[in-house]
């Protein structure tokens, strides 16, 4: 009998819908409203400490924007577009980790791609993680597109260091400051996951792990 591959808890229980996102209700509410009302900005910027859901929220937002059967601003999670984005194989959603790809040559494929309409979706979406690490020349290369993007292009930026962002970029993005997740919310999520995994853990132990995570869900699940 073939043994199942182990999946780390942060990956196994990564939120797939806005409903699953913990501790960022203010962000989720606004994003849902934007989608439901059809008033979607050209560029979004998520700022906050590590492990609180910036990249996860970016992916859920991308799914919601390109979902074939959205439900009140939420992605259905079942259509082909949702599945492809969740699995990282959508031709219309590109992710760039600026921590290791931060030069002009790294953003050039984005500049080339914006010239073409989406292959099978409403929008062509670019998610740039740790975007504060892009070099100034790289940002300058992106700036023209940010100023006058084609109607089918959306940018989602995420960073742990908003104070390092250029003012010219900040002024072109709708900014969201994500909060550290409250201890009781982390503990409640841990309790749910323990139940799903058949793990016995006391309330005190879960609270101790939640406090030690200092507001980061990923750190709590990795403990």
């Amino acid at each position: 009998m073939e043994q199942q591959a182990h999946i780390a808890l942060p990956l196994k229980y990564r939120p797939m819908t806005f409903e699953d996102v913990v501790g960022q209700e203010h962000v989720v509410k606004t994003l849902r409203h934007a989608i439901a009302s059809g008033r979607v900005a050209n560029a979004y910027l998520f700022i906050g400490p590590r492990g609180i859901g910036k990249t996860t929220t970016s992916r859920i937002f991308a799914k919601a924007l390109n979902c074939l059967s959205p439900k009140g601003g939420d992605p259905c999670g079942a259509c082909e577009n949702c599945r492809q984005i969740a699995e990282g194989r959508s031709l219309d959603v590109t992710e760039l980790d600026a921590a290791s790809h931060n030069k002009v040559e790294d953003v050039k494929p984005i500049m080339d791609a914006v010239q073409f309409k989406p292959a099978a979706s409403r929008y062509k979406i670019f998610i740039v993680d740790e975007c504060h690490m892009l070099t100034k020349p790289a940002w300058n290369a992106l700036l023209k597109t940010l100023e006058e993007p084609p109607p089918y292009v959306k940018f989602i930026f995420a960073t742990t260091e908003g104070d390092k962002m250029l003012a010219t970029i900040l002024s072109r993005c709708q900014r969201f400051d994500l909060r550290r997740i409250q201890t009781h919310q982390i503990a409640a999520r841990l309790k749910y996951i323990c139940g799903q995994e058949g793990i016995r853990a006391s309330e005190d132990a879960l609270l101790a792990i939640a406090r030690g995570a200092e507001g980061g869900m990923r750190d709590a699940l990795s403990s």
Side-chain angles (χ1 to χ4, degrees):
M1 186 174 177
E2 198 172 313
Q3 191 173 14
Q4 283 190 332
H6 172 72
I7 302 174
L9 292 180
L11 293 177
K12 187 173 182 180
Y13 289 96
R14 169 172 273 169
M16 292 288 109
T17 67
F18 285 132
E19 194 68 34
D20 296 331
V21 176
V22 177
Q24 312 299 342
E25 292 80 8
H26 62 299
V27 176
V28 167
K29 181 179 179 181
T30 305
L31 295 178
R32 276 174 165 161
H33 179 72
I35 295 166
S37 65
R39 296 177 180 177
V40 181
N42 296 324
Y44 289 81
L45 174 62
F46 298 146
I47 298 174
R50 66 188 184 90
I52 62 170
K54 297 183 301 298
T55 305
T56 292
T57 302
S58 298
R59 291 171 180 163
I60 295 171
F61 189 33
K63 285 197 294 184
L65 286 171
N66 278 346
C67 180
L68 300 175
S69 304
K71 303 173 182 177
D74 280 278
C76 71
C79 71
E80 186 62 22
N81 281 359
C82 281
R83 289 200 302 270
Q84 287 184 1
I85 294 170
E87 295 166 9
R89 56 186 180 88
S90 172
L91 296 175
D92 297 320
V93 177
T94 301
E95 291 192 32
L96 177 71
D97 180 7
S100 54
H101 301 84
N102 52 24
K103 299 180 176 62
V104 172
E105 55 263 35
D106 295 317
V107 301
K108 191 176 185 303
I110 294 178
M111 310 312 302
D112 294 337
V114 297
Q115 301 175 45
F116 303 98
K117 291 185 177 181
S121 310
R122 184 176 185 183
Y123 297 112
K124 184 162 279 193
I125 301 169
F126 300 96
I127 299 173
V128 184
D129 204 7
E130 294 299 351
C131 62
H132 68 277
M133 296 188 73
L134 286 176
T135 62
K136 191 171 182 179
W139 273 123
N140 287 337
L142 281 174
L143 193 56
K144 182 172 177 56
T145 302
L146 281 176
E147 288 174 337
E148 300 175 6
Y152 53 81
V153 169
K154 302 296 177 187
F155 283 96
I156 307 174
F157 300 108
T159 179
T160 52
E161 300 189 44
D163 58 321
K164 292 185 178 180
M165 296 292 295
L166 300 173
T168 50
I169 304 303
L170 288 171
S171 66
R172 289 163 175 79
C173 298
Q174 185 168 340
R175 172 175 173 163
F176 291 91
D177 289 272
L178 281 72
R179 307 165 180 156
R180 291 185 184 276
I181 305 169
Q182 294 183 30
T183 298
H184 73 88
Q185 292 176 309
I186 294 177
R189 181 67 173 168
L190 291 176
K191 184 177 181 179
Y192 165 78
I193 291 172
C194 284
Q196 294 295 305
E197 293 292 312
I199 299 171
R200 295 179 64 182
S202 68
E203 298 280 349
D204 288 345
L206 295 178
L207 277 171
I209 293 173
R211 290 193 194 99
E214 298 181 339
M217 186 66 74
R218 186 173 64 225
D219 285 352
L221 291 174
S222 300
S223 297

